[in-house]
């Protein structure tokens, strides 16, 4: 079974500041990890995904995330926030290559990012 | 590419009525997922189809919910009878994978249907 904990349901940063959204996961098998973004009244869009290759994953819009197995973390960062980054961000885990029900994505509760001018 | 298409975008109905949500996946995708999003429970997988066949419906809340995928380009999620606790945003997502069970495949989400049951 997998689970995801996103620390902080709401993060507020100033424009130009570092964005750090935290995600910790629990998985009984080597996981695949994902970050999705949801803009108001829209569906989820994939930002980036970790599939057991490089531990530092670069995504769209300048975001990146680092897989740290020892910390069971997959935090999302962006060096400089832009107003257009304001959205809700979801971390998700699946069972990777374990087979079985590895098609299931388990999502965290989401972190709402606001960017102040 | 039009992306995943869902209709209607908004649905308001009264308790006891039948509700049908529709989804057109991205052409060529062989996996389709229905999710429900609520404030209390977040995003939950309701059902997963692969090559039009339901593989896992363990997330379907109860018998009032049913889903079909008659062909590769169309799926429905039906609630009959609807109840106020069914109020949520329902998302459809699709993906393509050679095996159909590889979750490195990116899931592409539709814009969702916001359902309100009065």
């Amino acid at each position: 079974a997998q689970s995801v904990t996103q620390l902080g349901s709401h993060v507020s940063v100033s424009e130009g500041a570092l964005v750090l959204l935290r995600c910790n996961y629990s998985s009984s098998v080597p996981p695949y990890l994902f970050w999705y973004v949801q803009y108001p009244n829209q569906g989820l869009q994939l930002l980036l995904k970790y599939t057991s290759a490089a531990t530092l994953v670069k995504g769209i819009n300048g975001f990146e995330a680092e897989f740290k197995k020892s910390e069971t973390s997959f935090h999302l960062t962006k060096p400089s926030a832009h107003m257009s980054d304001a959205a809700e961000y979801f971390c998700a885990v699946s069972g990777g290559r374990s087979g079985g029900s590895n098609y299931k994505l388990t999502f965290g509760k989401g972190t709402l990012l606001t960017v102040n001018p | 590419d039009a992306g995943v298409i869902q209709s209607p975008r908004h649905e308001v109905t009264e308790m006891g009525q039948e509700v049908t949500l529709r989804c057109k996946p991205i052409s060529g995708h062989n996996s389709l997922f229905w999710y429900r999003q609520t404030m209390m429970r977040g995003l939950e997988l309701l059902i997963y189809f692969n090559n039009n066949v339901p593989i896992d419906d363990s997330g379907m809340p109860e018998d009032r919910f049913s889903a079909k995928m008659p062909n590769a380009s169309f799926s429905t999620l039906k609630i009959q009878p609807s109840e106020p606790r069914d109020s949520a945003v329902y998302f459809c997502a699709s993906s393509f994978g050679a095996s159909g069970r590889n979750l490195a495949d990116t899931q592409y989400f539709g814009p969702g249907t916001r359902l309100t049951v009065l």
Side-chain angles (χ1 to χ4, degrees):
Chain A
Q2 292 95 34
S3 66
V4 171
T5 302
Q6 291 184 240
L7 299 176
S9 59
H10 187 196
V11 170
S12 182
V13 300
S14 298
E15 191 173 20
L18 171 72
V19 175
L20 171 60
L21 304 182
R22 299 177 187 274
C23 172
N24 288 90
Y25 70 91
S26 172
S27 178
S28 56
V29 298
Y32 288 166
L33 293 157
F34 306 77
W35 275 101
Y36 279 84
V37 61
Q38 185 179 27
Y39 298 101
N41 299 315
Q42 294 186 26
L44 279 71
Q45 178 184 3
L46 182 71
L47 274 178
L48 50 80
K49 62 184 179 184
Y50 165 77
T51 58
S52 73
T55 57
L56 182 62
V57 182
K58 294 186 183 298
I60 62 172
N61 302 337
F63 284 92
E64 63 181 37
E66 186 172 8
F67 171 68
K68 292 187 176 181
K69 183 178 178 180
S70 61
E71 299 178 8
T72 61
S73 68
F74 191 58
H75 302 330
L76 182 71
T77 60
K78 181 174 181 178
S80 177
H82 191 272
M83 298 294 290
S84 61
D85 294 326
E88 189 155 22
Y89 292 79
F90 293 90
C91 182
V93 63
S94 76
R97 298 176 182 171
S98 65
S101 60
N102 67 344
Y103 53 84
K104 285 190 174 182
L105 277 179
T106 300
F107 286 89
K109 291 295 181 68
T111 298
L112 181 65
L113 175 67
T114 58
V115 182
N116 304 307
Chain B
D1 192 337
V4 176
I5 299 172
Q6 291 187 247
S7 65
R9 292 294 309 276
H10 301 272
E11 177 80 30
V12 180
T13 191
E14 293 189 346
M15 183 173 63
Q17 296 299 305
E18 177 179 296
V19 175
T20 299
L21 311 181
R22 296 173 177 80
C23 174
K24 177 179 170 57
I26 292 172
S27 177
H29 282 189
N30 61 354
S31 293
L32 185 139
F33 308 80
W34 281 101
Y35 290 89
R36 178 172 67 176
Q37 184 180 37
T38 62
M39 289 292 292
M40 290 295 294
R41 300 173 67 91
L43 271 160
E44 304 172 279
L45 177 65
L46 299 178
I47 188 167
Y48 158 56
F49 291 88
N50 180 244
N51 293 324
N52 312 336
V53 176
I55 302 299
D56 182 358
D57 65 355
S58 60
M60 295 286 264
E62 48 199 90
D63 293 344
R64 296 184 298 106
F65 285 69
S66 63
K68 295 182 179 179
M69 192 165 185
N71 56 62
S73 59
F74 184 65
S75 177
T76 60
L77 178 67
K78 185 177 293 186
I79 309 172
Q80 166 63 17
S82 58
E83 297 183 2
R85 61 191 167 124
D86 302 330
S87 297
V89 180
Y90 291 81
F91 288 103
C92 176
S94 70
S95 68
F96 174 77
S99 67
R101 298 169 76 83
N102 180 0
L103 241 294
D105 305 326
T106 299
Q107 293 187 25
Y108 294 84
F109 282 73
T113 295
R114 182 173 296 277
L115 173 65
T116 302
V117 183
L118 304 175

